[in-house]
Structures are given as C-alpha cells and as structure tokens.
Amino acid sequence: MITDAQNNFILAVPKAELHLHIEGSFEPELLFKIAERNGISLKYKTVGKLRNAYQFNNLQEFLDIYYEGANVLLYEQDFYDLTLAYLEKCREQNVVHAEVFFDPQTHTQRGVSFETVVNGIQKALDKANKEWGITSCLIPNFLRHLSEDEAIKTFKEALQFRELFIGFGLDSSEKGNPPAKFERVFKMVHDEGFLSVAHAGEEGSAQNVWDSLHLLKVARIDHGVRSVDDELLLDELARIQVPLTVCPLSNLKLKVVQQMKELPLRTLLEKNILVTINSDDPAYFGGYVNENYKAITEAFDLTTDELRILAKNSFKASFMGETEKEKWIKRINEIE
Ligand code: ADE
Ligand code: ZN
C-alpha cells in the first residue's frame, strides 16, 4: 500500500515518458474494435481471453503476442486511434511530454506503408499538442532480430519523413542480436544528424550496455538494469550521465526480476545515475507511467523527494530543449 500523500504526489507531478512503444499501448478493447472494422479474425475470441494470454516467462513470449496484435493495424485511422488513446492516458496521468517509439518494420513487412504509419501517429501527436499542450517526439526503432541491411533500408525510407524524427532506436530480441550487428546503420543515423537510443541490458548482459555506448554511441540506454552486474559500468554511467529509461512493470512481467524489490533502483539512485521511470508496453504489462511510479513507491517506500528526483530526471533525460527542461524542473520543485 502507498499513502495518500505518495499517491497524490505521483498524480500531481508533471512527468515525461521516454520509453513507450506505441504498439505496446494497444489495449485489447481497441484491438478488438479495429480488428472488427478491418475484417480480421483473432486467435483469442474475447477481450478477456486475450488479456488472460498476457502471461510471459521472458521477452520473446511477449514479443510473439505483441507482433501478432500489431497485425490488425492497417490504415492511417488505426494508427491515429492507437496513438490518441495513449495520449489520452498521458493527459489523465499528467505526462506532459512523450518520446514515442514505433517499429516501422513491423508494419512495412506486412505491406503497410511507412507513410500510413507515420501520418496516423503524427496527426494524433499534433492534436494532443494543440488541444492538451502535450509535447512529443517520435523515434523509429530498428528490429534487432532482422538484419542490418533491413535496418539500413528502413532508415533510408525514414529519411523521406526526416523532420518528424528526433532519433532512432533499437528494440526486439536482445539475446543473440548484439549492438555490434548495427554499428553501420547507427553511424548513418549520426551522420544524418539524428540522436540514437538502444535497448540494452534488459535480458542481455552489461556488455551490451558498454557496446551500445561505445559502438552505437547512443544518447540513452533503454532498460539497462543489468548494468548493476558491472561496477565499472555503473561508475561510467554516473560519470557520463547517459540516462537509463527503466520500466519496472515490464521488468516484472517479463521476469527480468522475480519481484519488484529486486529491481536495482536504489543502487542506481545512490550512484547518481540518471534513471527514469517509464511504461514500455503499458497495455501488456499492467499499467501506464503512474502505475509504474506507484509500483516502485510501494516496493521501495519512496519519499516524495525521491519521487521528485525521478520526475525531474524524466525531463533532464529527455530530448527537449534546455529552456523547456528548466521550466518543468522549476515547476516540479514548487510542488508541495
Ligand atoms: N519491443 C517492445 N517492447 C520491448 C522490450 N521491452 N524489449 C525489447 N523490444 C521491445
Ligand atoms: Zn522497450
């Protein structure tokens, strides 16, 4: 249980979300609605049965269901509805800035055009900015279970829409697909003036975090919790202040940790590593940003000042401009 004071603070504090796969925000109810209007029949016949299937022993078991869910997304309207539903959650939860991942290859491989995907997502981001003041940026992720040549092809296609993207990322199955496999495409990403991020140290080793820093030259590490296996790496992350976008409910659901208390959150905070709290794939893992904050508050009995640090970190670690960052940090300092 968490106290009313902790609960109220979590809701009241402005937050940025830096690790969110838009396809992972696909709630079963919306999935069924879109499947029906697109004439697609689903393996699970009810919303309840689909939700019941969300029991995972590892990352791959989740990815199999997640890619299957994404198959019902065909038209611009589908991507728009999906994105707007996520942004409505942001509005409810006081997430004022979102850096949204999407997996272009999951869609282009099925014959859905890059343009359809980005138009639908971007129109929803624009609406949320205009109507609710939510700021955002968009980060296409390369699927690491596919080849680097496929990633390069995707990157070249993405350049048609270059003004929509702040950077590129790397996700999907970490085991067997090390950062070194994507060195060339990440160099192309930087040569074209983009930032980069990569999933590393989720199921894979601390070495993948080192290699993402040195070979891929990423500005942030997604997850990175296995960094605790390597003292030198922790020192380095503290020194260079490359953020970790940690996703507590995801780590629990995918059995990266067996209990929330095992998450190395206190170690990361004590070492002064720029750790942030995010939802990853909220429709599949049992909660959005605030539920993640609540879960760690319960597990670690965090004080409001510790929660304040995490909320401030979410802006410090974001890709927004310095003036904007300072504005939000000042506001967070003023919250009782
Ligand atoms: N794609 C969506 N969620 C992911 C995760 N947690 N790890 C790797 N790839 C993902
Ligand atoms: Zn992720």
Side-chain angles (χ1 to χ4, degrees):
M1 281 292 287
I2 65 172
T3 66
D4 285 350
Q6 288 166 320
N7 202 37
N8 294 340
F9 186 86
I10 290 168
L11 184 60
V13 72
K15 296 158 293 275
E17 170 138 80
L18 309 179
H19 184 161
L20 175 280
H21 303 262
I22 201 63
E23 297 90 346
S25 70
F26 205 1
E27 292 288 348
E29 290 78 6
L30 183 60
L31 197 154
F32 265 75
K33 188 173 147 192
I34 292 180
E36 196 170 307
R37 79 184 181 207
N38 289 347
I40 295 169
S41 93
L42 296 168
K43 187 160 107 194
Y44 299 99
K45 296 299 169 204
T46 65
V47 166
K49 282 185 180 155
L50 180 59
R51 218 181 266 287
N52 273 342
Y54 294 175
Q55 322 263 357
F56 315 111
N57 291 303
N58 52 48
L59 174 59
Q60 195 58 51
E61 286 185 12
F62 155 69
L63 289 171
D64 292 344
I65 283 200
Y66 158 88
Y67 294 130
E68 205 174 302
N71 282 341
V72 310
L73 297 162
L74 298 182
Y75 305 110
E76 189 178 304
Q77 185 71 43
D78 305 341
F79 291 92
Y80 176 86
D81 291 350
L82 172 68
T83 309
L84 199 63
Y86 165 67
L87 292 161
E88 278 165 357
K89 279 285 181 188
C90 289
R91 184 180 180 218
E92 263 174 54
Q93 299 206 339
N94 215 358
V95 172
V96 298
H97 176 77
E99 304 197 347
V100 174
F101 295 157
F102 72 106
D103 291 336
Q105 290 156 294
T106 297
H107 313 298
T108 53
Q109 278 202 326
R110 306 180 281 117
V112 176
S113 76
F114 207 119
E115 190 179 7
T116 298
V117 179
V118 287
N119 280 351
I121 297 174
Q122 191 59 48
K123 281 181 186 165
L125 295 177
D126 289 344
K127 179 183 163 81
N129 181 246
K130 214 182 273 162
E131 296 194 2
W132 307 326
I134 296 173
T135 56
S136 58
C137 46
L138 205 43
I139 304 176
N141 277 2
F142 304 120
L143 294 178
R144 68 201 305 160
H145 65 273
L146 301 179
S147 70
E148 186 179 47
D149 283 345
E150 288 290 340
I152 290 173
K153 197 172 127 211
T154 301
F155 178 61
K156 288 184 175 160
E157 219 182 329
L159 288 176
Q160 289 175 74
F161 311 96
R162 61 179 309 145
E163 71 286 356
L164 300 181
F165 309 134
I166 186 115
F168 287 79
L170 185 64
D171 67 1
S172 191
S173 323
E174 188 180 0
K175 284 184 176 166
N177 298 294
K181 181 175 162 186
F182 295 94
E183 222 178 319
R184 277 187 311 146
V185 70
F186 271 66
K187 179 161 188 324
M188 293 170 75
V189 162
H190 299 135
D191 287 348
E192 289 290 343
F194 296 100
L195 295 164
S196 70
V197 298
H199 283 56
E202 178 187 17
E203 274 197 343
S205 67
Q207 187 60 44
N208 281 351
V209 177
W210 280 117
D211 291 347
S212 300
L213 295 172
H214 291 157
L215 304 179
L216 306 185
K217 304 190 180 356
V218 296
R220 285 199 303 248
I221 297 285
D222 294 315
H223 296 291
V225 289
R226 295 270 38 98
S227 303
V228 286
D229 299 338
D230 183 335
E231 276 295 325
L232 279 179
L233 177 57
L234 291 179
D235 291 345
E236 180 69 356
L237 289 168
R239 187 182 73 79
I240 60 179
Q241 292 287 292
V242 167
L244 303 184
T245 64
V246 171
C247 306
L249 288 172
S250 165
N251 290 164
L252 189 65
K253 269 293 222 182
L254 300 186
K255 300 197 164 52
V256 167
V257 292
Q258 306 309 311
Q259 299 180 47
M260 198 55 94
K261 282 185 168 56
E262 283 174 31
L263 201 73
L265 185 70
R266 284 220 174 272
T267 309
L268 298 173
L269 283 170
E270 279 158 16
K271 292 262 178 193
N272 198 27
I273 288 166
L274 198 49
V275 52
T276 68
I277 300 302
N278 308 273
S279 70
D280 204 6
D281 301 286
Y284 293 88
F285 301 149
Y288 289 76
V289 166
N290 284 2
E291 287 77 25
N292 277 275
Y293 274 80
K294 285 178 196 173
I296 54 166
T297 300
E298 176 150 26
F300 299 101
D301 196 21
L302 298 178
T303 64
T304 49
D305 276 335
E306 287 169 326
L307 290 167
R308 195 187 307 275
I309 289 171
L310 290 168
K312 284 198 276 187
N313 283 356
S314 75
F315 292 97
K316 288 183 190 168
S318 76
F319 293 148
M320 61 171 53
E322 289 305 318
T323 316
E324 274 288 284
K325 281 188 193 184
E326 280 164 24
K327 177 188 93 178
W328 288 115
I329 290 166
K330 183 164 176 284
R331 253 194 233 185
I332 294 171
N333 281 332
E334 286 162 5
I335 293 181
E336 298 281 305

